[in-house]
Amino acid sequence: MATDAPKERPSFDGLGRDLMSSGALSSDWAPSYAAVPRSTVLPDLMWPFDMATGRSVAVSKAEDPVKWQEFADSDVPIVTQWDDGKHSGTEPGHVPTSSASMPSVVFRMLQDLDLRPGHKALEIGTATAWNALLMAHRAGPGCVTTVEVDRAVATAAMATVERLGIPLQVVHGDGFQGYPEGAPYDRVIATCGLRSIPSAWVAQCRPGGVIVAPWGTNYSHADAVARLVVAPDGESASGRFTGPVEFMKLRSQRFVPRPHSEYVTGSVADGVESATTITEAEFVGEQFGPERFALGLRVPRCAYIVANKSDGARPVWFYSLSDNSWACVMFRDGKTARVWQQGPRRLWEQAEHAFRWWVHRGKPEHTRFGLTVTAKGERAWLDDPANSWAL
């Protein structure tokens, strides 16, 4: 009796095995990982983030092919463009503006997307096109459209797609508007950070469809991945956050901070002085801890800056984005923290209230928070969408 031939299992490099063992790479995405290695889309000159030194380093394929391949096959983010393309030379530029994300982040977000063969998908932020190529391999020919705002990056991505021969549409345009020509989509994913999710994406995604996007507030860079499901009437999308993340921001939503001198025109001592029993360790937390994310949801239109620590003292600043209000809390080892604040908003009082709200509710992680998007705006919630608040 004839039997079906066994399916060939994809072969993995060391990174693939690590991603599988960590759970980032699921078995259904394994064939796509094997078919589209990240190294096939990376430029000859790139700037990987060196975990050992904590900075981006230039690596040239022509000058050091072994090192180049080592970084290409590592679970690190790789900058591929600085300063919106105005940068030249091998030294890192000022602001990274396009990159290849960490493979573990890429595949965790693709798991959130739940892309199936035959699904029509829209991606915002093409960059090297690796994420879109992985999606196209899984979804099938003609199913994936990716939009890139930077003309040079889009042109390079088109050349990569043509070279690899995977059917995929690359569009040069503003992803904030989505791509209505290809709608409706079953899935929408952003590979750039959002400060608000455009209602156009909801309108272009079918009822029951899924939107996955890194999202956060201007309070800090402590963002999280939002996984939203479009409502049956197509008028809204809602869902929980799946975990912390940090991405380069959508260009039309980049935050440009005002100078410190526009807030504090004299001395910090000019502010109203008080004190707090909250400690530095409690309040500042870890870089990707839930504290900063939660406070961003509860203290609207506020930017938060943690200064460097010196001689046992660390100042933490708060700047209002709606007026000139500011606050500063000075944490000192072994001493009660002093606070100064000035302006119509008492920002430290708002931040302290938000912090105690978070503690009182059991210090919830990112995954207990959620987001609802409508044409009227966004609302955040904890545990239950019925108990939401406007952002």
Side-chain angles (χ1 to χ4, degrees), residues 121-135:
L122 173 66
E123 179 198 52
I124 310 301
T126 310
T128 64
W130 188 47
N131 194 77
L133 287 162
L134 292 167
M135 292 167 59

Side-chain angles (χ1 to χ4, degrees), residues 308-330:
N308 292 329
K309 194 165 187 174
S310 177
D311 295 328
R314 185 191 298 279
V316 175
W317 289 90
F318 305 83
Y319 302 100
S320 173
L321 305 182
S322 56
D323 56 34
N324 287 333
S325 301
W326 59 266
C328 175
V329 54
M330 180 66 75

Side-chain angles (χ1 to χ4, degrees), residues 39 42-44 46 58-73:
S39 59
L42 294 173
D44 288 350
M46 61 188 189
V59 179
S60 168
K61 189 175 184 179
E63 295 179 4
D64 195 340
V66 174
K67 186 176 182 181
W68 186 96
Q69 190 68 49
E70 178 183 328
F71 275 115
D73 296 335

